[in-house]
Coordinates of all heavy atoms in Angstrom, one line a residue:
F1 N -168.4 11.0 83.0 CA -169.7 10.3 82.9 C -169.7 9.1 82.1 O -170.8 8.5 81.8 CB -170.7 11.3 82.4 CG -171.0 12.5 83.3 CD1 -170.5 13.8 83.0 CD2 -171.7 12.3 84.5 CE1 -170.7 14.8 83.9 CE2 -171.9 13.4 85.4 CZ -171.4 14.6 85.1
S2 N -168.6 8.6 81.7 CA -168.5 7.4 80.9 C -168.9 6.1 81.7 O -168.4 5.8 82.7 CB -167.0 7.2 80.4 OG -166.9 5.9 79.8
P3 N -169.9 5.4 81.1 CA -170.3 4.2 81.8 C -169.2 3.1 81.7 O -169.2 2.2 82.5 CB -171.6 3.7 81.1 CG -171.5 4.4 79.7 CD -170.7 5.7 80.0
I4 N -168.3 3.2 80.7 CA -167.3 2.2 80.5 C -166.3 2.3 81.6 O -165.7 1.3 82.1 CB -166.5 2.5 79.2 CG1 -167.5 2.2 78.0 CG2 -165.3 1.6 79.0 CD1 -167.0 2.6 76.7
I5 N -166.1 3.5 82.2 CA -165.0 3.7 83.1 C -165.6 3.7 84.6 O -164.9 3.9 85.5 CB -164.3 5.0 82.8 CG1 -163.7 5.0 81.4 CG2 -163.1 5.2 83.8 CD1 -162.9 6.1 81.0
Q6 N -166.8 3.3 84.7 CA -167.4 3.2 86.1 C -166.6 2.1 86.8 O -166.1 1.2 86.2 CB -168.9 2.8 86.0 CG -169.7 3.8 85.2 CD -170.0 5.0 86.0 OE1 -170.2 5.0 87.2 NE2 -170.1 6.1 85.4
N7 N -166.6 2.2 88.1 CA -165.9 1.2 88.9 C -164.4 1.2 88.7 O -163.7 0.2 89.0 CB -166.5 -0.2 88.8 CG -167.9 -0.2 89.1 OD1 -168.4 0.4 90.0 ND2 -168.7 -1.0 88.3
T8 N -163.8 2.2 88.1 CA -162.4 2.3 88.0 C -162.0 3.7 88.6 O -162.8 4.5 88.9 CB -161.9 2.3 86.5 OG1 -162.5 3.4 85.8 CG2 -162.3 1.0 85.9
M9 N -160.7 3.9 88.7 CA -160.2 5.2 89.2 C -160.3 6.2 88.0 O -159.4 6.2 87.1 CB -158.8 5.0 89.7 CG -158.3 6.3 90.3 SD -159.2 6.8 91.7 CE -158.1 6.4 93.0
I10 N -161.3 6.9 88.0 CA -161.5 7.9 86.9 C -160.4 9.0 87.0 O -160.3 9.6 88.1 CB -162.9 8.5 87.0 CG1 -164.0 7.4 86.9 CG2 -163.1 9.6 85.9 CD1 -165.4 7.9 87.1
P11 N -159.7 9.3 85.9 CA -158.7 10.3 86.0 C -159.2 11.7 86.0 O -158.4 12.6 85.9 CB -157.9 10.0 84.8 CG -158.8 9.4 83.8 CD -159.8 8.6 84.6
V12 N -160.5 11.9 86.2 CA -161.1 13.2 86.2 C -162.0 13.4 87.4 O -162.8 12.5 87.7 CB -161.9 13.4 84.9 CG1 -162.7 14.7 85.0 CG2 -161.1 13.4 83.7
A13 N -161.8 14.4 88.1 CA -162.5 14.7 89.4 C -163.7 15.6 89.1 O -163.7 16.3 88.1 CB -161.6 15.3 90.5
A14 N -164.7 15.6 90.0 CA -165.8 16.5 89.8 C -165.4 18.0 89.7 O -166.0 18.7 88.9 CB -166.8 16.3 91.0
N15 N -164.4 18.4 90.4 CA -163.9 19.7 90.3 C -163.4 20.1 88.9 O -163.4 21.2 88.5 CB -163.0 20.1 91.4 CG -161.7 19.3 91.4 OD1 -161.8 18.1 91.8 ND2 -160.6 19.8 90.9
D16 N -162.8 19.1 88.3 CA -162.3 19.2 86.9 C -163.4 19.5 85.9 O -163.3 20.4 85.1 CB -161.5 18.0 86.4 CG -160.2 17.8 87.2 OD1 -159.5 18.7 87.6 OD2 -159.9 16.6 87.3
V17 N -164.5 18.8 86.1 CA -165.7 18.9 85.3 C -166.3 20.3 85.5 O -166.6 21.0 84.6 CB -166.7 17.8 85.5 CG1 -168.0 18.0 84.7 CG2 -166.1 16.4 85.2
A18 N -166.4 20.6 86.8 CA -167.0 21.9 87.1 C -166.2 23.1 86.6 O -166.7 24.0 86.1 CB -167.2 22.0 88.7
F19 N -164.9 23.0 86.8 CA -164.0 24.1 86.3 C -164.1 24.2 84.7 O -164.2 25.3 84.2 CB -162.5 23.9 86.6 CG -161.7 24.9 86.0 CD1 -161.6 26.2 86.4 CD2 -160.9 24.5 84.8 CE1 -160.9 27.1 85.7 CE2 -160.2 25.4 84.2 CZ -160.1 26.8 84.6
S20 N -164.1 23.1 84.0 CA -164.1 23.2 82.6 C -165.4 23.8 82.1 O -165.4 24.6 81.1 CB -163.7 21.9 81.9 OG -164.6 20.8 82.3
I21 N -166.5 23.4 82.7 CA -167.8 24.0 82.3 C -167.8 25.5 82.6 O -168.2 26.3 81.8 CB -168.9 23.2 82.9 CG1 -169.0 21.8 82.4 CG2 -170.3 24.0 82.7 CD1 -170.0 20.9 83.1
H22 N -167.4 25.8 83.8 CA -167.3 27.2 84.2 C -166.4 28.0 83.3 O -166.8 29.1 82.9 CB -166.8 27.3 85.7 CG -166.7 28.6 86.2 ND1 -165.5 29.3 86.3 CD2 -167.6 29.4 86.8 CE1 -165.8 30.5 86.8 NE2 -167.0 30.6 87.2
A23 N -165.2 27.5 82.9 CA -164.3 28.2 82.1 C -164.9 28.4 80.7 O -164.7 29.5 80.1 CB -163.0 27.4 81.9
V24 N -165.6 27.4 80.1 CA -166.2 27.6 78.8 C -167.3 28.7 78.9 O -167.4 29.6 78.0 CB -166.8 26.3 78.3 CG1 -167.8 26.5 77.1 CG2 -165.7 25.3 77.9
V25 N -168.1 28.7 79.9 CA -169.2 29.7 80.0 C -168.6 31.1 80.2 O -169.0 32.0 79.4 CB -170.1 29.4 81.2 CG1 -171.1 30.5 81.5 CG2 -170.9 28.1 81.0
L26 N -167.6 31.3 81.0 CA -167.1 32.6 81.2 C -166.3 33.1 80.0 O -166.3 34.3 79.7 CB -166.3 32.7 82.5 CG -167.1 32.5 83.8 CD1 -166.3 32.6 85.0 CD2 -168.2 33.6 83.8
T27 N -165.6 32.2 79.4 CA -164.8 32.6 78.2 C -165.8 32.9 77.1 O -165.6 33.9 76.3 CB -163.8 31.5 77.7 OG1 -163.0 31.2 78.8 CG2 -163.0 31.9 76.6
A28 N -166.9 32.2 77.0 CA -167.9 32.5 76.0 C -168.5 33.9 76.3 O -168.8 34.7 75.3 CB -169.0 31.5 75.9

C-alpha cells in the first residue's frame, strides 16, 4: 500500500498480503 512504490513493480502481491493477514488472525 506504499504510495512511494506506486507505478513500480511491487515485490509483494495481493495474495501475499491476504496470506499474512490470514496467518496472523489464525495464529492469534
Side-chain angles (χ1 to χ4, degrees):
F1 293 106
S2 171
I4 296 171
I5 304 181
Q6 300 286 322
N7 303 321
T8 64
M9 185 60 108
I10 300 173
V12 174
N15 60 284
D16 293 326
V17 175
F19 171 75
S20 58
I21 292 169
H22 181 263
V24 167
V25 169
L26 291 181
T27 305

